[in-house]
Structure formats: structure tokens, C-alpha cells
Amino acid sequence: MADIDAVAAELYGLGPEEFTAARDAHAAAARKAGRRAEAKGIAALRKPTLAVWAANRLARADADQAGRLLELGEGLREAHRTLSGEELRKLSHQQHVVIAAMAGEARRLAGEAGQDLSPAIQREVEQILRSVLADPEAARDWVRGVLAKAPPPAVGFADVAPEPGAVPRPPMAETEREREPEPEPDTDTGEAERTRREAELAEEALARAETERAQARTGLGALDEEIGLLEARLARAREEREHLAAAAQAADLRHREAVREAKAARAAARKAADR
């Protein structure tokens, strides 16, 4: 298993286009050495999608950043275990901002490696990071840069059980509390509750707005880069057109000269025949 882990660490650090050939070579070498179980395990290693590869590259490029994301996931789980609504709201806001920034960094790193991530692929990277937050097993593979496939889409932390000694809450406790009738508006308690709820809603709206802004800026950057690439291609096409136009003009001149020479040759031949 240790040898398979070492091979996996090497393979998932390669570019997507290099993975299959390298995997097959390692499996063949293991079979040739008589290590059939190892060969079978290596052959079963799954080629990552472009989004998974980019997520792995992100983890490998900055172990500290990857560790901080896992700490954020642990903090979210802890907030659910301890039923800390205030901490949960704060960490959820942080989650939106951090994941958008990390997905942008993954796109930059992929570009350095010669792989262009489309906005759709970048969104897949964001989904992978959200799933990693909620799935400790996937997190262990991702932080080592050996994630083989995208984890199932995250459904949040609603199934995290409260820690021992904490009073468990029903799955929809928060929603049910929100639906409870508010106290009479002329009481101090009712006014405080409304103010608190408005503050929570404002914080949630801010988190969504910041996420949308980050995504919009990422999409805008992708479009700007695409425009730059198209403009460069257009400039090259124009240069090639000018070159071909000059070549065509030169060919026209040679053709006219050849026609004149051919006419002169035919006239000379007729004149010689008439003598």
C-alpha cells in the first residue's frame, strides 16, 4: 500500500495529459516485478478531471493555505456540534470569501501549467472545495494533492451531531424558530429580536453579495484573458494575411511574366517553322 501511495502522490502531481501513460508504465513495472496486487492497485488509480487536477495542484502549491481551509471546515463542524449560531454565521461568511479566492488561485496556477480553466471548470473547483470542507475523508486526500475524483456535492453540516453533553437540536430547529410568531411589536424583547434578525439577514445578504462579486470578477478576468488571446490571434492572422497577399502579388507578376515568355516562345517557334 505504501508503494501505491507513493505512486499516487507522483501521478496526481502530473498534468492530466501525462497521467494515463505514467500510470500504465508504473503498473507494468509492478507486474514485471511480480507485485501483482500493487500492479492492480496502480492500474485502478483514476485519472482526475481537469477540475480535480486543478484542486490538487492548489493544495500542493500552498500547504499552509490548504491547512487553513481544513481548519475552517473543522470550525464549521465545531459550530454545529456546539450549536453556536453566531460562530456559524461568521464562518459561513468566511467560507464564501475564501473559496472564491482559492478557486481564482487554482485558475492562475492551472494557467501557469498551460491549462486554461473555463468559468464552468472554475465553478467545479469551487464545488470541490465546498465538498472538501464538509467531507473529512475527501479532505485528507485533497490536502495531500491526491484527490482522485470530485466528492459528492456538499449538503452542508446539518448531519453533524452535537458534541456529548450538548442538547441535540432537531434538523429544522432554526427554521422552525424563524417561523414562530414574533412577540408583540410594542415590547422591548420584540424590538430586540427584530433588530437581531435584520442584522442576521443583512450579514447573509452581504456574504452572498461578496460571493457574487468574486465570481463576477473571476468571470470578467476570464473574459478579458480570452479577449486578449483572440486579439493576439487576430494580429497574427492579419500578419499572415499580409504575407500571403504579398506572396500572391509576387506570384501574379511571375505568372504574367511567364505568359509573356510563353507567347514570345510560341511566336518564335511559328516564325522558325515558316522559314
Side-chain angles (χ1 to χ4, degrees), residues 10 16 20 52 58 103 111 117 123 143 146 242 253 274:
E10 174 190 337
T20 302
V52 171
L58 177 68
L117 299 190
R123 286 192 292 274
V143 78
V146 295
E242 291 176 359
L253 290 174
D274 290 342

Side-chain angles (χ1 to χ4, degrees), residues 61-85:
D62 192 337
D64 290 339
Q65 183 186 51
R68 286 192 293 272
L69 183 68
L70 298 193
E71 289 175 3
L72 175 59
E74 201 43 57
L76 285 163
R77 277 188 287 276
E78 181 67 17
H80 279 279
R81 281 194 292 265
T82 59
L83 311 180
S84 175

Side-chain angles (χ1 to χ4, degrees), residues 23-265:
R23 178 196 62 195
D24 292 348
H26 277 291
R31 280 194 296 271
K32 186 175 181 181
R35 302 192 300 272
R36 294 185 178 180
E38 181 182 335
K40 184 177 180 181
I42 293 172
L45 293 174
R46 182 171 180 172
K47 178 181 176 180
T49 64
L50 185 56
V52 171
W53 169 82
N56 280 333
R57 185 173 178 82
L58 177 68
R60 288 168 179 258
D62 192 337
D64 290 339
Q65 183 186 51
R68 286 192 293 272
L69 183 68
L70 298 193
E71 289 175 3
L72 175 59
E74 201 43 57
L76 285 163
R77 277 188 287 276
E78 181 67 17
H80 279 279
R81 281 194 292 265
T82 59
L83 311 180
S84 175
E86 184 62 31
E87 186 70 10
L88 183 58
R89 283 188 292 274
K90 182 179 74 174
L91 292 176
S92 296
H93 167 76
Q94 185 179 351
Q95 171 190 346
H96 291 303
V97 176
V98 169
I99 285 181
M102 290 183 70
E105 177 66 6
R107 182 175 182 276
R108 186 189 68 79
L109 291 169
E112 289 181 351
Q115 297 286 345
D116 183 35
L117 299 190
S118 68
I121 297 297
Q122 187 167 334
R123 286 192 292 274
E124 287 184 35
V125 173
E126 291 182 4
Q127 181 58 60
I128 289 171
L129 296 178
R130 280 192 290 271
S131 297
V132 161
L133 277 176
D135 186 340
E137 183 177 350
R140 285 192 292 271
D141 288 339
W142 173 75
V143 78
R144 294 186 294 116
V146 295
L147 192 64
K149 62 180 181 178
V155 294
F157 297 83
D159 294 332
V160 175
E163 64 184 5
V167 179
R169 62 180 178 182
M172 296 301 291
E174 185 64 30
T175 301
E176 290 169 0
R177 282 197 295 272
E178 291 172 5
R179 291 177 180 175
E180 290 177 358
E182 294 184 355
E184 290 300 319
D186 57 349
T187 65
D188 292 340
T189 302
E191 185 64 29
E193 177 63 20
R194 281 195 299 276
T195 301
R196 183 191 66 79
R197 184 56 188 156
E198 288 172 1
E200 290 176 1
L201 292 173
E203 194 66 30
E204 293 171 2
L206 176 61
R208 288 194 299 272
E210 288 185 348
T211 300
E212 291 171 359
R213 181 179 67 174
Q215 291 174 342
R217 286 181 174 176
T218 297
L220 182 60
L223 288 175
D224 285 342
E225 184 173 335
E226 186 174 353
I227 289 171
L229 292 172
L230 290 173
E231 288 177 343
R233 289 176 58 188
L234 178 60
R236 289 195 297 271
R238 284 173 173 166
E239 290 177 2
E240 185 175 356
R241 184 184 184 284
E242 291 176 359
H243 175 74
L244 291 174
Q249 186 177 13
D252 285 343
L253 290 174
R254 289 194 296 272
H255 177 263
R256 287 195 291 271
E257 184 64 28
V259 169
R260 285 195 296 270
E261 290 177 357
K263 287 182 178 179

